[in-house]
C-alpha cells in the first residue's frame, strides 16, 4: 500500500434471527460512530444497491413457489453487487461499513434453515469471489419463539418470516456455530434483555474498534 492510501475502514455486521432488534441496534451503532466522527456507510442485505434492492423484493415477496437454490442464488447475487459496488469501495476509501446481515445470514438461513449445506453456501460465495470477512459481527441472539413474538407485532410476514419454528431453530444453531468457530470476529449478544442492556453490550464490543480508529 502506498503511504498516501487511506487506512482501510472497518467492516461491522449485525446478525441474528427475526425480531432480535437488528434495526434498533443498527441505529444505536450509527449514533456511536457519528459521536466519534467516524465516516461510515450504513447498508443492508439483501439489498444495498439498486439491483440488490430489486433482488430483495423478488426474494422476499415473490408470488408463487421458489426453489431453495434460487433463493440462495438471489441472496448471493445481491451480495456480489453489494461487495463490488458499495462495501469494497467504501472500505478502500477509509470509510467504515455497517451492514445489517451478510454472508453469515446465508449460512444460517439457506445453509442450515433450508438445509442446502453450510459448506455448499460457503463454497458458492468463494466461487463468486466473495471472500471479504467482517472485522466484527454482532450476533443478536435470543430464543426463537420470543423473537418471532416480537416480529408478529409488526404485521404481515414475508416469505421467509412465514417459515416454521424448526427452520429458525436450525438457523439459530448455525449462527451459534459460526460464533463458536470464529470467536475473535463474532460476539454473541443476549438480545432477550432490555434495549438498554443490549445496547451496553453492543457498545462494549464496538468500542475497542472505535478507540483504535
Ligand atoms: N435473509 C437475509 C436470508 O435468508 N439470507 C440472507 O443471506 C440474508 C442477507 C430479510 C430476510 O432475509 C433473510 C432473513 C430475513 O428473513 P431483514 O430485513 O434483515 O432480512 O429482516 P428482519 O430480520 O425482519 O430484520 P429487522 O432488522 O427488520 O428486524 P429486527 O432484527 O427484528 O429488528 P427490530 O429492531 O425491527 O426489532 C423488532 C421489534 O422488537 C423491538 C423493536 O422495537 C421492534 O418492534 N425490540 C425490542 N423489544 C424489547 N426488547 C428489546 N431489547 C428490543 N429490541 C428491539
Amino acid at each position: 500500500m502506498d503511504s498516501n492510501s487511506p487506512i482501510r475502514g472497518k467492516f461491522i455486521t449485525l446478525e441474528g434471527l427475526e425480531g432480535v432488534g437488528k434495526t434498533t441496534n443498527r441505529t444505536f451503532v450509527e449514533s456511536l460512530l457519528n459521536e466519534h466522527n467516524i465516516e461510515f456507510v450504513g447498508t443492508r442485505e439483501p439489498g444495498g444497491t439498486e439491483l440488490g434492492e430489486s433482488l430483495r423484493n423478488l426474494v422476499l415477496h415473490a408470488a408463487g413457489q421458489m426453489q431453495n437454490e434460487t433463493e440462495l442464488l438471489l441472496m448471493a447475487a445481491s451480495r456480489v453487487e453489494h461487495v463490488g459496488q458499495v462495501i469494497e469501495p467504501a472500505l478502500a476509501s477509509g470509510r467504515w461499513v455497517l451492514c445489517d446481515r451478510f454472508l453469515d445470514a446465508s449460512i444460517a438461513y439457506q445453509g442450515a434453515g433450508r438445509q442446502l449445506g453450510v459448506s455448499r453456501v460457503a463454497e458458492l460465495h468463494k466461487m463468486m469471489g466473495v471472500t471479504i470477512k467482517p472485522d466484527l459481527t454482532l450476533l443478536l441472539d435470543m430464543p426463537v419463539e420470543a423473537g418471532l413474538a416480537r416480529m408478529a407485532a409488526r404485521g404481515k410476514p414475508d416469505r421467509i418470516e412465514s417459515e416454521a419454528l424448526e427452520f429458525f431453530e436450525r438457523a439459530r444453531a448455525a449462527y451459534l456455530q459460526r460464533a463458536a468457530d470464529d470467536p475473535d470476529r463474532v460476539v454473541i449478544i443476549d438480545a432477550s434483555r432490555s434495549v438498554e442492556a443490549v445496547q451496553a453490550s453492543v457498545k462494549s464490543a464496538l468500542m475497542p474498534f472505535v478507540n483504535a480508529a
Side-chain angles (χ1 to χ4, degrees), residues 29-40 94-96 207 210-211 213:
V29 172
E30 286 176 353
S31 64
L32 279 177
L33 296 180
N34 280 328
E35 251 173 57
H36 290 83
N37 298 315
I38 291 175
E39 272 191 62
F40 68 92
R95 281 173 298 158
W96 289 30
M207 284 319 282
V210 169
N211 291 332

Side-chain angles (χ1 to χ4, degrees), residues 55-88:
L55 291 169
R56 177 188 177 95
N57 192 37
L58 197 59
V59 73
L60 297 182
H61 303 291
Q65 286 189 0
M66 184 182 294
Q67 297 295 307
N68 293 338
E69 286 79 1
T70 304
E71 182 180 279
L72 169 62
L73 290 169
L74 291 173
M75 295 292 181
S78 164
R79 186 160 299 124
V80 168
E81 289 302 320
H82 199 203
V83 170
Q85 292 187 39
V86 176
I87 298 176
E88 267 300 346

Side-chain angles (χ1 to χ4, degrees), residues 105-173:
S106 286
I107 298 278
Y109 281 76
Q110 282 69 49
R114 297 287 189 219
Q115 298 182 295
L116 291 176
V118 162
S119 54
R120 256 173 105 202
V121 174
E123 274 308 311
L124 172 75
H125 283 79
K126 252 190 232 156
M127 212 166 85
M128 297 297 139
V130 178
T131 52
I132 184 173
K133 221 169 135 178
D135 296 288
L136 171 67
T137 294
L138 300 161
L139 173 57
L140 297 164
D141 178 66
M142 64 192 282
V144 173
E145 275 170 318
L148 292 179
R150 275 190 199 165
M151 192 195 72
R154 268 196 331 203
K156 195 173 177 292
D158 63 36
R159 272 186 59 250
I160 295 175
E161 288 168 350
S162 311
E163 275 306 318
L165 197 63
E166 303 78 60
F167 169 91
F168 293 108
E169 293 288 6
R170 286 194 296 273
R172 182 185 184 204

Side-chain angles (χ1 to χ4, degrees), residues 16-25 44-46 56 60 71 75 79 100-103 105-106 109-110 150-151 154 158 160-161 191-195 198:
L17 298 184
E18 325 294 306
V20 295
K22 287 180 306 300
T23 301
T24 308
N25 286 287
R44 69 171 181 180
E45 289 198 355
R56 177 188 177 95
L60 297 182
E71 182 180 279
M75 295 292 181
R79 186 160 299 124
D100 194 334
R101 298 189 185 278
F102 191 62
L103 173 59
S106 286
Y109 281 76
Q110 282 69 49
R150 275 190 199 165
M151 192 195 72
R154 268 196 331 203
D158 63 36
I160 295 175
E161 288 168 350
S192 66
R193 298 168 297 155
S194 69
V195 172
V198 173

